[in-house]
Amino acid sequence: MAEGSRLRSPASTSKSAETLNNSENGGKKGENGGQGVALKKEIGLVSACGIIVVLLTWVNCSSVRWATHVQDIFTAGKLLALGLIIIMGFVQICQGHYYWLEPKNAFQTWQEPEVGLVALAFLQGSFAYGGWNFLNYVTEELVDPYRNLPRAIFISIPLVTFVYVFANIAYVTAMSPMELLESNAVAVTFGEKLLGVMSWIMPISVALSTFGGVNGSLFTSSRLFFAGAREGHLPRLLAMIHIKRCTPIPALLFTCASTLLMLVTSDIYTLINYVGFINYLFYGVTIAGQIVLRWQKPDMPRPIKVNLIFPVVYLLFWAFLLIFSLWSEPVVCGIGLAIMLTGVPVYFLGVYWSNKPQCFDNFVDSMTYFGQKLCVVVYPEEAPKKVEQEMQDLASSICVNLKEEEEEEEEVQGSSKLKGTDA
């Protein structure tokens, strides 16, 4: 789970860099300025992407409310842009531009179909719908999660499915399948074809959309690291929050650092394959665990309960997807597995190995203490006590100041009385 989240945020970040590139190139692949110009441009895009990540990390560290406001604003902007695309698609259909929607043309094959390619297509396509489980990571911050979590999932999944399906139908009314494959930013190319002088709307909308995607990924992935550290699977420092802002600053900084490291991979499709393969691997293991617990502990309290037919169907689809994706792209999936397995020695070193030398424990404690002082963080149960202690100290200082002022006033009044008596 942690490995999937560690890759999901970089994938969204690389998508932002790709968006910046497509905004300048009009969504077309290729460079016309030679390798030197392409290299400079790539460095500039990665640098700009890194600045975006650092900026959003600062927002998330400063305030949870700021982060949620940023997410709401950019999500609304994305939906408005997609709504414009869908409306234009319906206009195109009404004008008779639906050649590639006709069954004889829509199912025309451009290459020999293979099962592995179909599985890989599902794997890459599922990246767009990968946000359905993000809300689970922030359940503790939801109001009445047993009621609002299922409601949010039941509303969001049909809405996203409706919007994305009709957006793709709109794309096909203006672009052929080959144009879709040649374009790195389909929405940008779509806007250039239909919006004319207003085509600048689409690059800005796509950039804002990916900006909100990076913010949401930082917000949720950091909570996953926070929960893992609280369970003892990651360093204790990651389970601490700021004494006043109550934000998991160490977990956010760790997420930011891993994201910046993953920016060295500029191929967005490779990142999507990494993320998709690892995500579905852990999704399947989680769903299988749900079935095992339902069988071994049937009387366990379950506030949210679903029929077992849904996880069984999901596992069948999961097995097809992973097996044939591994067969179709063994190198990419193998690298994803290797990245995931890097957590095994860390687990044995940090969790399984209980009899560590005293010098090792002292080093970890000193690093934790240094991180606490640097980020001004404590464990969540200590944060209210720290704030309460600060308020008590502040109240005590105010009382002392008031008492000193009263004593000074009494001295002034006493001296005035003495002067009146002498007179």
Side-chain angles (χ1 to χ4, degrees), residues 120 123-124 268-278 329 332-333:
L120 198 62
L123 193 67
Q124 293 186 352
I268 182 63
Y269 298 106
T270 301
L271 277 176
I272 288 176
N273 288 338
Y274 287 163
V275 175
F277 183 78
I278 293 177
E329 288 285 347
V332 173
C333 296

Side-chain angles (χ1 to χ4, degrees), residues 117-419:
L117 294 176
V118 172
L120 198 62
F122 272 107
L123 193 67
Q124 293 186 352
S126 64
F127 179 81
Y129 300 88
W132 60 271
N133 65 326
F134 275 16
L135 203 59
N136 299 320
Y137 300 159
V138 292
T139 304
E140 294 181 353
E141 300 180 40
L142 287 177
V143 177
D144 192 6
Y146 295 146
R147 177 173 174 266
N148 291 328
L149 180 62
R151 176 181 294 183
I153 293 176
F154 291 151
I155 293 174
S156 62
I157 289 181
L159 177 63
V160 170
T161 303
F162 171 83
V163 170
Y164 283 7
V165 168
F166 278 92
N168 281 279
I169 291 175
Y171 292 148
V172 175
T173 61
M175 303 170 63
S176 68
M178 296 306 297
E179 288 177 312
L180 289 172
L181 292 174
E182 291 175 356
S183 175
N184 274 338
V186 178
V188 175
T189 308
F190 180 83
E192 289 177 347
K193 283 179 170 288
L194 299 182
L195 291 179
V197 295
M198 300 297 292
S199 60
W200 55 268
I201 294 176
M202 283 303 154
I204 294 178
S205 299
V206 175
L208 295 179
S209 171
T210 53
F211 195 86
V214 174
N215 179 74
S217 185
L218 285 170
F219 184 82
T220 54
S221 298
S222 61
R223 269 60 180 181
L224 187 61
F225 292 129
F226 172 82
R230 191 174 55 187
E231 296 295 326
H233 298 156
L234 291 170
R236 292 176 297 172
L237 181 62
L238 301 182
M240 298 184 184
I241 61 175
H242 194 270
I243 60 174
K244 293 182 179 178
R245 300 187 181 100
C246 294
T247 53
I249 292 179
L252 283 164
L253 294 178
F254 181 75
T255 306
C256 176
S258 60
T259 298
L260 295 176
L261 287 175
M262 286 300 296
L263 280 177
V264 296
T265 302
S266 59
D267 187 357
I268 182 63
Y269 298 106
T270 301
L271 277 176
I272 288 176
N273 288 338
Y274 287 163
V275 175
F277 183 78
I278 293 177
N279 278 352
Y280 272 96
L281 179 62
F282 280 99
Y283 293 165
V285 173
T286 303
I287 297 300
Q290 177 190 7
I291 297 175
V292 171
L293 285 176
R294 187 75 67 88
W295 174 58
Q296 291 184 347
K297 299 181 179 181
D299 299 326
M300 178 185 292
R302 293 179 173 87
I304 302 175
K305 189 175 181 179
V306 297
N307 195 297
L308 279 180
I309 190 172
F310 295 107
V312 170
V313 171
Y314 182 88
L315 279 180
L316 293 175
F317 174 74
W318 168 81
F320 159 78
L321 201 63
L322 286 189
I323 292 173
F324 286 102
S325 295
L326 185 60
W327 176 68
S328 178
E329 288 285 347
V331 176
V332 173
C333 296
I335 293 175
L337 284 173
I339 295 174
M340 180 188 67
L341 292 176
T342 57
V344 175
V346 176
Y347 170 80
F348 277 100
L349 181 65
V351 180
Y352 185 79
W353 185 21
S354 57
N355 298 323
K356 301 181 182 68
Q358 187 63 35
C359 60
F360 182 85
D361 291 333
N362 293 337
F363 173 75
V364 172
D365 292 340
S366 62
M367 294 300 296
T368 302
Y369 184 61
F370 172 77
Q372 282 188 270
K373 292 196 296 182
L374 180 65
C375 300
V376 196
V377 293
V378 293
Y379 287 110
E381 59 269 16
E382 297 177 6
K385 296 179 182 178
K386 291 280 185 180
V387 175
E388 183 180 355
Q389 184 64 39
E390 289 183 359
M391 295 299 292
Q392 290 177 356
D393 294 342
L394 179 61
S396 300
S397 63
I398 293 174
C399 292
V400 170
N401 292 334
L402 290 175
K403 188 175 182 180
E404 290 177 353
E405 291 176 0
E406 290 176 357
E407 290 176 353
E408 290 177 358
E409 290 179 358
E410 289 177 357
E411 290 178 359
V412 171
Q413 291 176 0
S415 62
S416 299
K417 290 179 181 180
L418 289 174
K419 289 180 182 179

Side-chain angles (χ1 to χ4, degrees), residues 17 21 24-25 30-48 263-266:
N21 187 15
E24 296 181 4
N25 293 340
E31 294 286 350
N32 298 322
Q35 294 183 353
V37 175
L39 179 60
K40 291 181 180 179
K41 191 171 185 179
E42 187 70 25
I43 294 173
L45 291 173
V46 172
S47 302
L263 280 177
V264 296
T265 302
S266 59

